[in-house]
Amino acid sequence: MSGIIDMLSKPGADEAVQSAMTQAFEALKATGVAQDPRVLAAMDGLTPAQAIGLTREQLQVIYTLGYRKFLAGDYAAAQDVFTYLVGVDPLHTPNIYMAGMVLFAQGHHAVAADMFLMFLALDATNPVGYLRLGDCWLAGGERDRAVEAYKLAVAECANGHGDAQTTDEAKQRLAMATQEMKA
């Protein structure tokens, strides 16, 4: 996944993606797939899950399966589930959060950080997102960035967006990361 992110950040990537999308759409038109009501629904702005008729309850069952796999330490299976969920239901923040958690648990700290950034793009006042982002950066050796993320977590908690446990965790992580910088 980080290879894709690296590729998309290179100069000219926007044009290449646009060209690929145009070619893909032309291929869909040639095969008649572009007339499929599900494809048209997705093109009209529905999520893929909505376009194929998955209900919130069905998505929750899939999420629960992935969460159980995560808790059992079956990270490969959990990654499959949450990658699927992020693909079909990309605006549902718990899917993105858990995709980040699975990646972090597997040691993919940079890609997990990208997931938590995506999570925060949809839920910018959630201090837990900043905590997990800070954890990713800290694990990747980016202590200064981690401290900034932890500061944002503390600030969001101070703004009333975190419970007492989250506030305590944010303050502890900030103190730990700041202390390690001084050492």
Side-chain angles (χ1 to χ4, degrees):
M1 190 159 167
S2 65
I4 293 171
I5 293 167
D6 292 341
M7 180 185 73
L8 292 176
S9 65
K10 291 185 178 180
D14 291 342
E15 293 83 15
V17 169
Q18 184 62 42
S19 174
M21 289 174 58
T22 301
Q23 290 174 16
F25 186 69
E26 290 303 318
L28 290 174
K29 282 182 11 185
T31 62
V33 173
Q35 301 311 313
D36 184 312
R38 294 168 296 187
V39 173
L40 293 171
M43 291 172 61
D44 281 339
L46 295 181
T47 66
Q50 293 166 327
I52 63 176
L54 288 174
T55 66
R56 180 57 48 205
E57 292 78 22
Q58 291 167 324
L59 291 166
Q60 185 60 43
V61 168
I62 298 168
Y63 177 93
T64 300
L65 171 68
Y67 190 73
R68 287 182 179 160
K69 294 292 185 184
F70 175 77
L71 291 178
D74 188 352
Y75 300 133
Q79 182 175 354
D80 289 344
V81 171
F82 290 111
T83 298
Y84 171 78
L85 284 172
V86 169
V88 298
D89 197 17
L91 302 177
H92 193 62
T93 56
N95 299 336
I96 299 166
Y97 180 84
M98 283 308 300
M101 292 296 292
V102 171
L103 289 163
F104 185 84
Q106 293 175 311
H108 304 296
H109 303 127
V111 183
D114 291 338
M115 278 293 148
F116 292 117
L117 286 168
M118 187 186 316
F119 172 85
L120 288 164
L122 295 170
D123 192 0
T125 62
N126 190 323
V128 177
Y130 293 106
L131 285 171
R132 300 298 82 83
L133 179 61
D135 294 345
C136 291
W137 283 338
L138 192 61
E142 298 182 66
R143 190 165 318 284
D144 291 340
R145 291 178 87 184
V147 166
E148 291 307 311
Y150 294 143
K151 285 179 182 178
L152 289 168
V154 169
E156 287 303 331
C157 288
N159 288 333
H161 298 288
D163 59 19
Q165 182 179 351
T166 304
T167 302
D168 289 344
E169 182 182 355
K171 289 177 179 178
Q172 289 172 3
R173 294 223 196 263
L174 177 59
M176 183 244 348
T178 304
Q179 191 68 356
E180 287 181 11
M181 287 179 72
K182 293 177 184 177

